[in-house]
Amino acid sequence: MKYCFGVDIGGTTVKLGLLTAEGTIVEKWEVKTITENEGAAIIPDVVKAIQDKITEKQIAVKDIIGVGVGVPAPVSEEGIVNGSANLGWKYKEVKGEMEEALKLPVVVGNDANVAALGEMWKGGGEGYQNLVMVTLGTGVGGGVIIKGKVVTGTNGAGGEIGHVCVNADEVARCGCGKTGCVEQYASATGIARLAGERLEKDEKPSILRGQHLSAKTVFDAVKEDDEVADEIAEEFGKYLGLALTNIAVIVDPEVFVIGGGVSKAGNIVLSYVEKYFQKYAFFANRQTQFALATLENDAGIYGAAKMILDK
Amino acid sequence: MKYCFGVDIGGTTVKLGLLTAEGTIVEKWEVKTITENEGAAIIPDVVKAIQDKITEKQIAVKDIIGVGVGVPAPVSEEGIVNGSANLGWKYKEVKGEMEEALKLPVVVGNDANVAALGEMWKGGGEGYQNLVMVTLGTGVGGGVIIKGKVVTGTNGAGGEIGHVCVNADEVARCGCGKTGCVEQYASATGIARLAGERLEKDEKPSILRGQHLSAKTVFDAVKEDDEVADEIAEEFGKYLGLALTNIAVIVDPEVFVIGGGVSKAGNIVLSYVEKYFQKYAFFANRQTQFALATLENDAGIYGAAKMILDK
């Protein structure tokens, strides 16, 4: 039996998985991410976690294919990170340092791209080779996969789909400094903002009034047939649907896989996005499929494992 | 010496090239495209042109690597075309028919994608592996190349960059049926339209008044420091620049290669596009390069040859 490790380094915890080469998780566990001191402890901690597991499971080194790692930062082809705000890292030779310490092959990728690969392999995109993953969380992230391979991009900015401009008239600024990014309307934060603006517009009754505004409360209200919530969801669907039509004419995927916290509201989220995708789509893209992500927090572990298996 | 053929089938003429495996054109010539009778003569005519050249040059069949073909239509992975308005074709097994007749390997691709490959190999994109070609002609076409391979897309709609939406408020319809496509502002037709609208707006003096309005007359007037022409070019640059920033966050190319009739005005065209690209770009994409296409009508021959050599 051959094994590999999938590692998903986040700002709070590192998720680790020991998998078979066929993609079954044998065991998964977490260690805390220590971001102090420019995140100097992170790589040693991950290395120790892997070494301890190898010892505990008495796995022969020759049976370990290698280690895949996802990190919240752009990553060069050589596995180098040039700064990660979430981890405290400045310049860091992640692949080099880990291979040196572990004496195993290591591949490093951006966490959003890695999650996309995970969903393609074992999740909502299983069976597809051309897919675009859209992660609707605090921001909007994503990953573009063409013929089974992640499009990393020249500057590690491939699949930065949160920053497709969908509203040239916007005056509020996105966290990236631009205006009109789809992230400003389709992230959890963006939906809460749309909700606040809609509620202030007039006095129309809504169960959202007086509630904490979030993607969850908005879609819960949609499910209760709240008209104001429906209008907010339409606005969300319009902007995200438009962004996805622009992505479709560039890379023409088989499927969009929608994940992240916002997607937990379920198929109702897809319905609003697909409605506007169909409205704005180029005719050749109208057959594009939509699916919900299914792996949740394990997408990174699966995707990281897949990266090293594909190497 | 090994050889290959590059064939670029257009609506008026078929351009053919005999090339060495290193990419030197030994000879190039044209035959007329006979579109009558659903274009039934096109493939036999191309086959005969190639066979005659093989005989004339006394090339041994074992020294011919194969034939690459670009056609003005979406093409499936199997080399099948499901209709081409320019050629009169309905369903056509282009690869199958040509291989059967020639007894040589044949690869078929969409002409815009093939031209992109040509420019990457021997033109404005030489030395790059990740590039987006933008063809500003009657319409706006394009091709996306990642790690040296064309992104064909699930429905053959990869690189349909003319149909990126850049103006959700547009009411005029694009030829594709959508509104606000970048083709409506950045094609030769689009620039002429912008020029007409600008001239009608007020009475500001311009050497364009009374002239035939085209991309050429507009950029010629820009070179004469005509203020109205400059405003039109700014409008063109704004929409195309915005479209390219949206492409950059998806596939993050090293370079945009700008070709087609509009690009014949030269670096002045790039200056307007780059200005707005810099204005709207995601920070990680700001280093993206711009270059003019250099192969003009030979891009298709080179790209088609490259396709068969890469097979």
Side-chain angles (χ1 to χ4, degrees):
Chain A
M1 183 83 86
K2 296 278 184 185
Y3 298 92
C4 66
F5 288 91
V7 181
D8 181 14
I9 305 183
T12 313
T13 59
V14 181
K15 297 179 182 61
L16 298 102
L18 168 65
L19 294 88
T20 66
E22 288 71 40
T24 304
I25 293 183
V26 178
E27 197 161 321
K28 64 177 179 177
W29 72 106
E30 296 185 1
V31 300
K32 203 168 167 327
T33 308
I34 311 289
T35 56
E36 285 79 16
N37 193 19
E38 294 185 358
I42 297 172
I43 288 181
D45 286 350
V46 170
V47 166
K48 181 165 188 308
I50 291 171
Q51 286 171 332
D52 287 354
K53 190 60 63 182
I54 293 172
T55 307
E56 177 197 327
K57 294 284 175 188
Q58 300 189 313
I59 301 170
V61 170
K62 70 168 178 48
D63 291 334
I64 304 173
I65 294 162
V67 180
V69 183
V71 298
V75 181
S76 78
E77 295 272 339
E78 295 76 32
I80 296 170
V81 169
N82 256 309
S84 166
N86 292 339
L87 304 184
W89 287 352
K90 311 287 183 201
Y91 176 89
K92 183 76 75 181
E93 297 182 0
V94 184
K95 175 184 160 76
E97 286 190 28
M98 288 190 65
E99 287 188 336
E100 174 74 21
L102 284 167
K103 313 290 180 203
L104 286 169
V106 174
V107 181
V108 187
N110 168 265
D111 57 357
N113 289 339
V114 168
L117 202 56
E119 289 289 343
M120 181 194 77
W121 192 32
K122 296 289 179 182
E126 197 173 344
Y128 295 101
Q129 289 282 298
N130 295 317
L131 74 84
V132 173
M133 168 95 189
V134 182
T135 305
L136 306 173
T138 312
V140 172
V144 174
I145 298 182
I146 308 282
K147 296 191 177 177
K149 302 285 177 194
V150 169
V151 177
T152 309
T154 306
N155 309 289
E160 281 284 359
I161 64 186
H163 304 288
V164 169
C165 177
V166 288
N167 183 5
D169 302 327
E170 180 61 76
V171 290
R173 285 211 178 272
C174 178
C176 78
K178 300 207 301 164
T179 55
C181 295
V182 67
E183 176 164 304
Q184 295 181 273
Y185 313 96
S187 63
T189 327
I191 294 168
R193 185 174 73 98
L194 290 179
E197 287 174 2
R198 173 61 193 86
L199 289 172
E200 275 181 23
K201 205 177 75 178
D202 59 29
E203 300 293 311
K204 190 165 174 179
S206 167
I207 56 176
L208 288 171
R209 294 196 186 276
Q211 277 200 64
H212 169 71
L213 296 176
S214 69
K216 181 172 185 341
T217 53
V218 168
F219 281 105
D220 282 349
V222 167
K223 290 172 189 169
E224 305 273 329
D225 296 323
D226 186 273
E227 282 185 29
V228 170
D230 174 69
E231 290 174 38
I232 298 162
E234 291 275 333
E235 193 85 347
F236 153 85
K238 185 182 78 175
Y239 285 117
L240 184 53
L242 177 61
L244 300 190
T245 63
N246 280 344
I247 296 170
V249 289
I250 310 305
V251 294
D252 188 14
E254 297 165 274
V255 64
F256 285 105
V257 178
I258 314 289
V262 173
S263 74
K264 290 189 178 160
N267 285 316
I268 190 95
V269 173
L270 297 190
S271 70
Y272 286 97
V273 180
E274 289 194 66
K275 173 180 169 182
Y276 285 95
F277 181 85
Q278 286 302 326
K279 177 171 174 175
Y280 295 126
F282 184 57
F283 63 88
N285 296 128
R286 294 224 175 93
Q287 306 302 317
T288 312
Q289 303 295 304
F290 284 78
L292 289 168
T294 61
L295 300 180
E296 301 198 355
N297 289 334
D298 293 343
I301 290 175
Y302 280 111
K306 179 66 171 157
M307 264 199 310
I308 189 72
L309 293 172
D310 281 352
K311 197 181 145 260
Chain B
M1 184 81 86
K2 295 279 182 185
Y3 298 92
C4 66
F5 288 91
V7 181
D8 180 14
I9 305 183
T12 313
T13 59
V14 180
K15 298 179 181 65
L16 298 102
L18 168 65
L19 293 87
T20 66
E22 289 70 42
T24 304
I25 293 183
V26 177
E27 197 160 321
K28 64 177 179 177
W29 72 107
E30 295 185 2
V31 300
K32 202 168 166 327
T33 308
I34 311 290
T35 57
E36 285 80 15
N37 193 19
E38 295 186 357
I42 296 173
I43 288 180
D45 286 352
V46 170
V47 165
K48 183 169 186 307
I50 291 171
Q51 287 171 333
D52 287 354
K53 189 61 61 181
I54 293 171
T55 307
E56 177 198 327
K57 294 284 174 186
Q58 301 188 314
I59 300 170
V61 170
K62 69 166 178 50
D63 291 333
I64 303 173
I65 295 162
V67 180
V69 184
V71 298
V75 182
S76 78
E77 296 272 337
E78 296 76 32
I80 296 170
V81 169
N82 256 308
S84 166
N86 293 338
L87 304 183
W89 287 351
K90 310 287 185 202
Y91 176 90
K92 182 74 77 182
E93 296 182 0
V94 185
K95 175 184 161 77
E97 285 190 29
M98 289 189 65
E99 287 188 336
E100 175 72 22
L102 284 167
K103 313 291 179 205
L104 285 169
V106 174
V107 181
V108 187
N110 167 266
D111 57 358
N113 290 339
V114 168
L117 203 56
E119 289 288 343
M120 181 194 78
W121 192 32
K122 298 287 178 183
E126 197 173 344
Y128 295 100
Q129 288 283 297
N130 295 317
L131 74 83
V132 174
M133 169 95 189
V134 182
T135 305
L136 306 174
T138 312
V140 172
V144 174
I145 298 182
I146 308 282
K147 296 192 176 175
K149 301 287 178 194
V150 169
V151 177
T152 309
T154 307
N155 310 288
E160 281 284 358
I161 64 186
H163 304 288
V164 169
C165 177
V166 288
N167 183 5
D169 301 328
E170 180 62 78
V171 290
R173 286 211 178 270
C174 178
C176 78
K178 300 206 302 164
T179 54
C181 294
V182 67
E183 175 164 306
Q184 294 181 273
Y185 314 96
S187 64
T189 327
I191 294 168
R193 185 174 73 99
L194 289 179
E197 287 175 1
R198 172 63 193 84
L199 290 171
E200 274 182 23
K201 204 177 76 177
D202 59 30
E203 300 293 310
K204 190 166 175 178
S206 167
I207 56 177
L208 288 170
R209 294 194 185 276
Q211 276 199 65
H212 170 72
L213 297 176
S214 69
K216 181 173 185 337
T217 53
V218 168
F219 281 106
D220 281 350
V222 167
K223 290 172 190 169
E224 305 273 329
D225 296 324
D226 186 272
E227 282 184 30
V228 170
D230 173 68
E231 291 173 37
I232 298 161
E234 291 274 335
E235 193 84 347
F236 154 84
K238 185 182 80 174
Y239 286 117
L240 184 54
L242 177 61
L244 300 190
T245 63
N246 281 344
I247 296 170
V249 288
I250 308 305
V251 294
D252 189 15
E254 295 166 273
V255 64
F256 286 104
V257 179
I258 314 289
V262 173
S263 75
K264 289 189 179 160
N267 285 317
I268 190 93
V269 173
L270 296 191
S271 70
Y272 285 97
V273 180
E274 288 193 65
K275 172 179 170 183
Y276 285 94
F277 182 84
Q278 285 302 327
K279 176 171 175 176
Y280 296 127
F282 184 57
F283 65 88
N285 296 129
R286 295 224 174 92
Q287 306 302 318
T288 312
Q289 303 295 304
F290 284 78
L292 289 168
T294 62
L295 302 178
E296 299 195 358
N297 289 335
D298 292 342
I301 290 175
Y302 280 110
K306 179 66 171 158
M307 262 199 310
I308 189 71
L309 293 172
D310 281 351
K311 198 180 147 265

